[in-house]
Each structure stands twice: as structure tokens, then as C-alpha cells.
């Protein structure tokens, strides 16, 4: 069955450092992968999408890589700030009307001063 | 302007009751979803509607019945509530195009069944 794994333990890093979160998947050939941010008591918010034929995508301080051979995506936040503290979810999807997003369990990031 | 809204935000009820959650999106999207997020924060899709038509129905008990009166609304009715139904329920919407299916989530409805 399809499985998406993210680090279940919280990631604690110091302000200014680069945070790297991992998303690994098995038994899946996604057309694209997305990263969402979820703050406590709120719904997930879309951050970045990367397609299967793309290796890397950037948006401001965010960078996502997608390795379909390793079946892994890495999500980087450079120059991290306390405001980046949240849970980050990866989600895999395919195209088509009946496609759906399958979410990982998320990784909690805590950025300290 | 709220893009995806849900009511109520909190719902506390007794086992066996029937309750409904409402969702509305003003983004002009053609697809709407219901997700359940359990206590371990795992977000799992329940239903998806495209242009008022049910297109995804995961293995959800038939006590859960979604209804889409129009493209902008997707409601969730739950009969005979059970303790295990306690969770946060999120509504989301997207515009289904070839590759990009960014989903916009509502704020969630926190359901507690006593």
C-alpha cells in the first residue's frame, strides 16, 4: 500500500540555520508533490509544488527537491526564523478529475532564538 | 474575504446524535473535499466532489453523507455519532487542471463526541 513518511519527531533548529525536512514515499508514482504548512488550530496552507519532471523548485527562502529514483523530497528553509515554526506536510498527487492528494504525517519544526 | 469557510468551528455533542458541518468556497473552484485529521495529526481524505458530482469516496462509514447543493458548497452530515468520530474535519477546494491541484483549506471544525 502507499506509504508517505516524514520525520515524526520534531525538528529543533536555531534561528538563522537551514532547516531540512524529509518526505519519503513507497508504492507510489506521483505526478507532483506539494508541501503545506499547518499552524496549530488552522488548516494547511500551500507552499510549493514540484512536478515529477522537475528536480528543484525555489520560492524566496524555500527550496524543494524531488528525486523520483530515491522516492524522496527534501524541503529546505534557509535563514530560518521563529515565525517558521509550524508543522510541515508533504502531499503526493496525480492528475485527473478523480485524483487526490495523499498526505504525510507531517514534521513539526521549532525554530529557537 | 475568507476563501474557504466552515461552520461551526467547534462542535461538542453526545454519542448517537446527528450533526452537520457546512463548507463554502468563494474561489470559483470546481472541486471540493472533506478531510479528517485525527489526534495524531494524520490528514486523510474522505470525499471529493467535482461540479456537484461525487468522485472520491474513501472507505468512510455510510453514517457520513456529503451533499453538494452547488459548486460552492459541500456539506457533511454525520448520523449516529461515535466516539471515534472525534477529530478535526477540514474542507478544501481546488480547480482541477492538468498538473497543478493546489488545495485551499478551511479553518477546520473541531468535533468532540462525548
Amino acid at each position: 500500500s502507499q506509504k508517505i513518511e516524514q520525520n515524526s519527531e520534531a525538528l529543533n533548529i536555531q534561528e538563522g540555520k537551514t532547516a531540512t525536512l524529509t518526505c519519503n514515499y513507497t508504492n507510489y508514482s506521483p505526478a507532483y508533490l506539494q508541501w503545506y504548512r499547518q499552524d496549530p488550530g488552522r488548516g494547511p496552507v500551500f507552499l510549493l509544488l514540484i512536478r515529477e519532471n522537475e528536480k528543484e523548485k525555489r520560492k524566496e527562502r524555500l527550496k524543494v527537491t524531488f528525486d523520483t529514483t530515491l522516492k524522496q523530497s527534501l524541503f529546505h528553509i534557509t535563514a530560518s526564523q521563529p515565525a517558521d515554526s509550524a508543522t510541515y506536510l508533504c502531499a503526493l498527487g496525480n492528475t485527473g478529475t478523480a485524483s487526490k492528494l495523499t498526505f504525510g504525517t507531517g514534521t513539526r519544526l521549532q525554530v529557537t532564538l | 474575504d475568507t476563501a474557504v469557510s466552515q461552520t461551526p468551528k467547534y462542535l461538542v455533542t453526545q454519542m448517537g446524535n446527528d450533526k452537520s458541518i457546512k463548507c463554502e468556497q468563494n474561489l470559483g473552484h470546481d472541486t471540493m473535499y472533506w478531510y479528517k485529521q485525527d489526534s495524531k495529526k494524520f490528514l486523510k481524505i474522505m470525499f471529493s466532489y467535482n461540479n456537484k458530482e461525487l468522485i472520491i469516496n474513501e472507505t468512510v462509514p455510510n453514517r457520513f453523507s456529503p451533499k453538494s447543493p452547488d459548486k460552492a458548497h459541500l456539506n457533511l452530515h454525520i448520523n449516529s455519532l461515535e466516539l471515534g468520530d472525534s477529530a478535526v474535519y477540514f474542507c478544501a477546494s481546488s480547480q482541477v487542471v492538468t498538473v497543478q491541484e493546489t488545495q485551499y483549506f478551511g479553518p477546520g471544525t473541531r468535533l468532540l463526541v462525548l
Side-chain angles (χ1 to χ4, degrees), chain A residues 82-111:
Chain A
D84 295 327
S85 299
T87 295
Y88 291 86
L89 305 166
C90 73
L92 277 59
N94 274 308
T95 58
T97 307
S99 66
K100 63 181 182 182
L101 280 181
T102 303
F103 281 84
T105 49
T107 297
R108 170 123 183 86
L109 173 67
Q110 185 71 41
V111 182

Side-chain angles (χ1 to χ4, degrees), chain B residues 22-40:
Chain B
K22 295 187 175 182
C23 177
E24 177 180 0
Q25 56 96 2
N26 62 6
L27 298 166
H29 288 163
D30 61 5
T31 305
M32 296 184 71
Y33 310 82
W34 276 111
Y35 286 87
K36 179 180 180 181
Q37 190 169 46
D38 59 26
S39 56
K40 294 183 180 177

Side-chain angles (χ1 to χ4, degrees), chain B residues 74-111:
Chain B
L74 180 62
N75 304 322
L76 183 65
H77 188 76
I78 314 171
N79 287 327
S80 303
L81 278 156
E82 299 178 357
L83 294 176
D85 297 333
S86 296
V88 182
Y89 292 84
F90 287 101
C91 175
S93 74
S94 71
Q95 184 67 22
V96 176
V97 291
T98 305
V99 179
Q100 185 163 338
E101 290 190 23
T102 302
Q103 295 192 11
Y104 295 81
F105 284 80
T109 294
R110 283 136 194 87
L111 172 65

